[in-house]
Amino acid sequence: MKTFLVSAGLALAVTFTSVPVQAGLPFFGNDKEELPTLAPMLEEVTPAVVNISVKGNREVRQRVPEAFRFFFGPNSPQEQVRERPFRGLGSGVIIDKDNGYVVTNNHVIDDASEIQVTLKDGRQYDAKVIGTDARSDIALLQIQDGKNLTEIEVGRSGQLRVGDFVVAIGNPFGLGQTVTSGIVSALGRSGLGIEEVENFIQTDAAINSGNSGGALVTLDGKLIGINTAILGPGGGNIGIGFAIPADMMTNLVDQLLEFGEVRRGVLGVRGDNLTQDIANALDLEMTQGAFVAEVIADSAAEQAGLKSGDVIVGVNGESIRSFFELAARVGSIGAGKEVTLNIVRDGDEMDVSVVLDNEESATVAAELHPALEGVSLSVNSGGGVLITEVAENSPAARLGLRQNDIILGVNKTPTNSLSELRQALDNVGGVIALNLQRGNSQLYLVLRGR
């Protein structure tokens, strides 16, 4: 279960006792008594929500005390790496009954060697991983040899409003399937530090361990979010839970099915959230949106005609409240896709069509490691990450990197995509050895820690 300050997973705990008809809850009963109930909807939806149990081995790094390092000599390792077995529980949602596709959180199945899915009726199946995206915490599984499965209809999370009723379904604390309820508390939550790509639905749902990857649904039974994390500094629920929007999940899943990985689109702007101070300086009447401070040369944004000083207020007709939300929206849309940006320029509203760049060619390598500053990267069709350009007198040039070098691995961990290179570099705490192919030869270049 994903942890934000304390724990992760989601279970909603708002009870309807006496609800007026205007609230929109379905009513069922006889002539003498009518009570609000969600039972008919849940009878249709809950078979599509599954429990997930995993087990595997995970690396544990332990720093070697200085006294022992002195005893074994100056060249002894600074830390020990051991593998320890682990087990975990979570939830998932069947989105395609014919192919057995299940969406869950990446942290639910991360490092798992065995994954088992349990249906509401008790049937159990093995599952395999189709693809994952750690940066947005989404994973796509496939049930093996599943029969008579039930899928859930995916709704449009972009049409949600604050105050809409929602229902969460999952497996808190391994108790078995549990249904709870609440409302949408906020939309477009970002900048929380939970994930690298954030655009959360906030709900007053009680999120508990084991609910991660479960379903957040509307009162008509449509999936509008994947429950992910809570804010719980005291160790328990305080009514602030977060779910990944269904629109974002759908974009990511489509890419996982097509490519086996997420190939993020890149706009090519730098900026900040539009604040009152910025609005006052630019004589703008609005105070929400993504302020464009710089348009990167030769980027998709420059080619589309975006300019510094523009304020992006929407993507494909759906409003944008912050620069963080813009980054998350664009980051979940695939490279090469065309999007319509709703912008305000000098007080005038207009629409701009942009064909997104590929993140693999647009990422600033210095973000991966300072020593890589000055290189341009792209995926190599034959495997590895290709260095397409090295800036003269840059840190990368001084390190010895050359144009057309191919990064095959980091400390013997293969890297066949930018996301794998990023993850490999993040997982190394000490000396980094880049395995390069240069022409017909292979060599290593050594980088020190960050």
Side-chain angles (χ1 to χ4, degrees):
M1 183 58 67
K2 184 70 177 181
T3 301
F4 175 43
L5 298 184
V6 176
S7 66
L10 184 50
L12 294 160
V14 174
T15 303
F16 293 105
T17 54
S18 176
V19 182
V21 175
Q22 293 90 327
L25 285 172
F27 276 68
F28 299 88
N30 51 39
D31 294 338
K32 295 182 180 180
E33 183 180 34
E34 287 189 339
L35 297 174
T37 180
L38 299 174
M41 178 273 287
L42 291 170
E43 288 169 358
E44 297 290 328
V45 169
T46 50
V49 182
V50 302
N51 295 344
I52 297 176
S53 59
V54 301
K55 61 181 179 179
N57 292 300
R58 184 169 288 153
E59 283 190 355
V60 177
R61 296 178 181 272
Q62 184 175 8
R63 190 168 184 81
V64 178
E66 291 294 331
F68 286 95
R69 291 180 58 203
F70 177 79
F71 179 79
F72 288 110
N75 295 324
S76 62
Q78 297 183 9
E79 60 181 9
Q80 291 180 333
V81 180
R82 298 179 179 177
E83 283 197 348
R84 292 183 180 177
F86 74 93
R87 295 177 180 268
L89 296 172
S91 305
V93 186
I94 300 174
I95 59 170
D96 185 332
K97 63 181 181 181
D98 295 327
N99 292 300
Y101 292 139
V102 175
V103 175
T104 186
N105 286 138
N106 176 70
H107 73 260
V108 170
I109 56 87
D110 192 27
D111 292 329
S113 57
E114 296 182 32
I115 304 173
Q116 189 173 69
V117 169
T118 303
L119 306 186
K120 182 184 177 182
D121 61 14
R123 287 180 291 160
Q124 294 184 329
Y125 296 101
D126 292 331
K128 70 175 184 179
V129 177
I130 298 298
T132 65
D133 182 45
R135 295 169 65 187
S136 59
D137 202 11
I138 283 291
L140 181 65
L141 313 179
Q142 185 175 38
I143 295 174
Q144 302 297 287
D145 302 319
K147 298 179 180 179
N148 300 320
L149 303 176
T150 300
E151 68 184 27
I152 192 169
E153 182 180 355
V154 180
R156 290 294 307 277
S157 58
Q159 298 176 355
L160 282 176
R161 298 176 300 172
V162 173
D164 285 347
F165 285 106
V166 287
V167 175
I169 312 166
N171 177 35
F173 300 110
L175 293 172
Q177 192 175 92
T178 300
V179 178
T180 50
S181 60
I183 65 169
V184 173
S185 303
L187 296 167
R189 287 297 193 211
S190 57
L192 303 172
I194 303 174
E195 307 297 347
E196 186 173 338
V197 180
E198 298 180 341
N199 180 30
F200 291 115
I201 300 167
Q202 182 181 326
T203 175
D204 61 358
I207 302 180
N208 294 289
S209 182
N211 270 105
S212 280
L216 189 68
V217 303
T218 53
L219 295 189
D220 59 355
K222 293 181 181 178
L223 178 72
I224 49 86
I226 301 297
N227 303 327
T228 299
I230 62 169
L231 176 63
N237 167 63
I238 59 173
I240 302 177
F242 302 100
I244 298 170
D247 293 348
M248 181 174 170
M249 177 273 294
T250 300
N251 288 332
L252 296 169
V253 166
D254 288 346
Q255 295 175 63
L256 291 175
L257 286 172
E258 184 175 359
F259 307 115
E261 64 178 1
V262 172
R263 298 182 178 179
R264 283 186 169 78
V266 172
L267 181 57
V269 297
R270 296 188 178 98
D272 204 345
N273 300 334
L274 180 63
T275 63
Q276 184 68 62
D277 291 339
I278 296 175
N280 291 340
L282 299 177
D283 196 22
L284 297 173
E285 296 181 358
M286 66 192 66
T287 55
Q288 288 188 328
F291 174 69
V292 178
E294 179 186 358
V295 177
I296 298 172
D298 299 323
S299 66
E302 184 183 62
Q303 294 174 16
L306 283 175
K307 299 179 179 180
S308 59
D310 288 346
V311 179
I312 301 173
V313 296
V315 175
N316 292 335
E318 296 179 357
S319 63
I320 291 294
R321 301 164 186 82
S322 67
F323 198 87
F324 285 116
E325 187 176 356
L326 171 67
R329 290 277 188 93
V330 171
S332 65
I333 299 174
K337 298 292 181 66
E338 183 176 354
V339 299
T340 299
L341 300 180
N342 318 117
I343 71 170
V344 175
R345 178 182 295 166
D346 299 326
D348 297 326
E349 296 185 14
M350 63 183 70
D351 291 340
V352 176
S353 294
V354 182
V355 177
L356 299 178
D357 283 334
N358 189 327
E359 183 190 47
E360 303 289 353
S361 60
T363 291
V364 179
E367 296 175 0
L368 305 181
H369 193 283
L372 298 180
E373 181 179 349
V375 303
S376 298
L377 304 171
S378 67
V379 174
N380 185 51
S381 59
V385 176
L386 176 66
I387 296 177
T388 58
E389 186 178 353
V390 181
E392 191 174 344
N393 296 323
S394 66
R398 291 193 293 272
L399 177 67
L401 291 171
R402 300 179 185 175
Q403 185 178 14
N404 295 325
D405 282 350
I406 300 172
I407 303 175
L408 300 177
V410 175
N411 291 15
K412 296 187 177 180
T413 298
T415 54
N416 292 309
S417 69
L418 188 61
S419 58
E420 289 182 0
L421 177 59
R422 182 192 305 272
Q423 185 174 6
L425 289 170
D426 287 345
N427 289 339
V428 177
V431 174
I432 297 172
L434 287 182
N435 183 13
L436 302 176
Q437 180 176 327
R438 180 173 293 169
N440 295 323
S441 304
Q442 288 194 26
L443 66 149
Y444 282 92
L445 288 182
V446 177
L447 289 65
R448 298 298 172 182
R450 297 175 186 272

